[in-house]
Each structure stands twice: as C-alpha cells, then as structure tokens.
Amino acid sequence: MTWEQVEGGLLGLLVGDAAGVPYEFHAPRDLPAREQIDMIPPAGFARTYSHVPVGTWSDDGAQALCLLDSLVERGKWDVDDFASRLLRWFREGYWAVDSRVFDIGIQTGQALDRLADGIPGTRSGLSGERNNGNGSLMRTLPAVLVHRGPDVDLVRLVEEQSAVTHAHSRSQVCCALYALWARREMERVPDPWEDAVETLRELYPKGGIPRFELETHILGHSESPGGSGYVVDCLLSARAACEQPTFADTIREAIAFGNDTDTTACVAGGIAGIRHGRTGIPAVWLETLRGHEQLAPLIGKLRQTLFPS
C-alpha cells in the first residue's frame, strides 16, 4: 500500500461522483458521445441539478467522508459515531460541499428518519428485498483505505456500516465484495476481482444466506450493466467500467451507462483511483473538483494516521 494509492482512491471516488452528477437520471441515448463526457459537460447539455456548480460531490462523497472521518477520528469502527455523522450530514450538510444536501436516496432517507426517531444504528437500516439500493456501496471505500486488520474483520466492518441504512444481506455482501476487490487492487494481485470472490467464498459458509446471495444474486446476475441504482447492477457496472485502460476512460464508461451516473462513477472511480493513483486522475478534473479546502485537513489526518512521520 502506498499513499499514492490511498489518495488516488479517495480522490477518485470524489471526482467520479462529481463528474457523474450533471448526467444523473439521463438514459444512455440522451447522453453526449462518450468522448465528450467530461467533468464540465459539453455546451447545450441539460445538466441534472443545474443549480449545483460543476465539480460538486453529492451524497455519495459526503457519506463516504462521514465514514472516513469517523474511522480516522475514533481510531476504530464505532457504529454510533458513524450513524451520528450521517444524521449531521442529513440535518446540517456535514461533509457536503457548501453544507448543502441536494440529493438523497429514498431508502437512506427512511433509515435516517429512523435514526432521528431514536432507533440505534444497529437496527435503523431497512432489510426488505426491495431495499437493495446502492446507498451503502457508494460509501464503502474509506473502510478499505483505513482498515489494516484481516479480511474477515474488514468484511464485518463494511457489512455493519451498510446495515445502518441498507440491512439486507445482498447489500452487505456487495459492500464486502467491493471492499475485498479494492483491497486486492491495493495489493496488486494479478486478478483482484476473482481473488476477492474466492476470499468471500472462504468466509461465507455454504448453505448460509450471504453465500446464497453471493452465488445466486450477485455472481449469478445475468443482465448487462445498466448503471441503475440497484446495488448489484451498480457493482457490476462499476466492474465493467474498470475494464477501461485509464482513469478518465473508466469514468466516461461508467457515466455512459446512464441512469445513476454519479454512483456508478463514484464506485468505479474509487477502484480506478487506487489502480492509477492520484497522478492518474486528469489534473483538470482535480482542479474542477470543489471542496478542496474542506477536504485538506481530513486528508492530512489520514496520511498521518497511515504513514506517521
């Protein structure tokens, strides 16, 4: 693990999210040609959230930063602390650029309402089969950047952070697979996705619900990538986007799927950022990203935590 990978992963997540915001909810046919997709959309394109300045990360980035801040500040996983930071984001715009919340998933909103009513974070998440949006997957990566324990502990952490809003096993397993995929990218193993899959098979006993979800609903998912808000499609769309050779190509491919463009690009951007490092992210995209002054102290604390001088 290097600082270049860590910083690349975090900035890749935020850049991917911000790049995808102007294109969100558009069908693929309504998007610009792939080579024209950029942090600043081409002239004449009808941006989603036209009132939001280009380069602004959304709920995806803000919630990921809530998790990162909690892990760095507390020095350990603390579900109550993390849940309280999500509520601060919801109520006050904590970790939102300009302290302004302009997007929130329906399921996440319902879970945060439950938190506000006093239900603890261990029981606040919705657990029905139709409650498998990508709202916990999008914020998973900071756990990988910070956690230094064995795989089984990392899996447990990302499952528990998912359950605060998305408690169905399918969402938790998607977070676990993504976390192990990202960790294997950090380790530069030859086939990080397949290595992550095999690790989960070792951790999830046959006959159990998580193993069933992994084999049947995630690995057995047969539809083409669609960039939707369904957690499995989001994960597999990000994987498909990451087949591209550069960071910029990965983000453009993720956005070109249409639909939930910011989250697909956020999830793919985290992996691509680890793979290509901070220097692999186009400089103009980093310059366009807003919130640098807000972000700098947390990045400094993260570096000191991981690489103490």
Side-chain angles (χ1 to χ4, degrees):
M1 180 191 70
T2 67
W3 176 245
E4 175 78 4
Q5 290 175 305
V6 172
E7 190 177 28
L10 179 60
L11 291 174
L13 179 160
L14 295 171
V15 167
D17 177 16
V21 165
Y23 305 96
E24 192 177 8
F25 307 131
H26 285 75
R29 65 180 178 274
D30 298 326
L31 292 173
R34 187 178 277 99
E35 63 273 13
Q36 293 181 319
I37 292 173
D38 210 310
M39 282 278 281
I40 301 176
F45 179 74
R47 291 194 293 120
T48 310
Y49 309 112
S50 58
H51 61 291
V52 175
V54 169
T56 303
W57 65 70
S58 72
D59 57 327
D60 304 39
Q63 290 184 41
L65 292 171
C66 285
L67 178 59
L68 179 61
D69 201 4
S70 178
L71 291 170
V72 171
E73 184 71 24
R74 296 288 295 155
K76 62 179 182 178
W77 166 238
D78 183 333
V79 63
D80 294 325
D81 183 75
F82 174 56
S84 71
R85 291 173 194 263
L86 287 182
L87 269 181
R88 283 183 63 191
W89 164 75
F90 189 44
R91 291 168 167 170
E92 307 166 16
Y94 175 68
W95 279 118
V97 181
D98 302 324
S99 301
R100 185 178 187 183
V101 176
F102 62 88
D103 188 19
I104 182 171
I106 294 173
Q107 182 179 339
T108 298
Q110 292 173 338
L112 295 183
D113 283 338
R114 288 160 60 84
L115 279 173
D117 289 340
I119 297 175
T122 52
R123 294 192 290 109
S124 54
L126 280 67
S127 58
E129 187 167 10
R130 296 185 65 84
N131 301 130
N132 276 307
N134 54 18
S136 60
L137 177 64
M138 68 192 191
R139 63 178 187 243
T140 295
L141 186 66
V144 183
L145 303 181
V146 175
H147 194 270
R148 291 294 163 265
D151 290 338
V152 63
D153 292 343
L154 174 63
V155 165
R156 186 179 301 114
L157 190 165
V158 299
E159 288 175 343
E160 290 178 2
Q161 73 81 25
S162 175
V164 174
T165 54
H166 296 69
H168 192 278
S169 180
R170 193 172 308 162
S171 291
Q172 295 181 67
V173 174
C174 281
C175 291
L177 179 53
Y178 179 71
L180 290 175
W181 176 26
R183 173 170 274 190
R184 297 301 181 262
E185 292 279 354
M186 298 274 285
E187 295 167 344
R188 304 297 195 201
V189 303
D191 193 337
W193 174 272
E194 289 301 326
D195 196 298
V197 168
E198 290 307 313
T199 300
L200 269 190
R201 284 177 170 149
E202 294 172 5
L203 295 177
Y204 291 152
K206 290 183 178 179
I209 291 174
R211 182 66 175 268
F212 174 79
E213 291 291 346
L214 174 67
E215 302 290 354
T216 303
H217 291 290
I218 301 172
L219 302 179
H221 186 79
S222 59
E223 297 180 19
S224 299
S228 74
Y230 174 42
V231 65
V232 176
D233 182 41
C234 180
L235 176 61
L236 298 181
S237 296
R239 184 193 177 201
C242 285
E243 293 176 1
Q244 296 297 313
T246 69
F247 181 89
D249 288 334
T250 296
I251 299 305
R252 290 189 174 105
E253 183 75 5
I255 293 171
F257 288 129
N259 303 305
D260 198 4
T261 51
D262 61 329
T263 304
T264 308
C266 167
V267 174
I271 295 291
I274 290 171
R275 187 179 293 172
H276 300 289
R278 186 189 195 280
T279 55
I281 303 173
V284 67
W285 288 11
L286 287 171
E287 292 166 5
T288 305
L289 181 70
R290 303 178 68 235
H292 281 286
E293 291 184 3
Q294 181 180 2
L295 189 60
L298 179 56
I299 288 181
K301 288 193 292 185
L302 175 62
R303 183 165 190 167
Q304 183 61 29
T305 298
L306 298 178
F307 302 93
S309 54

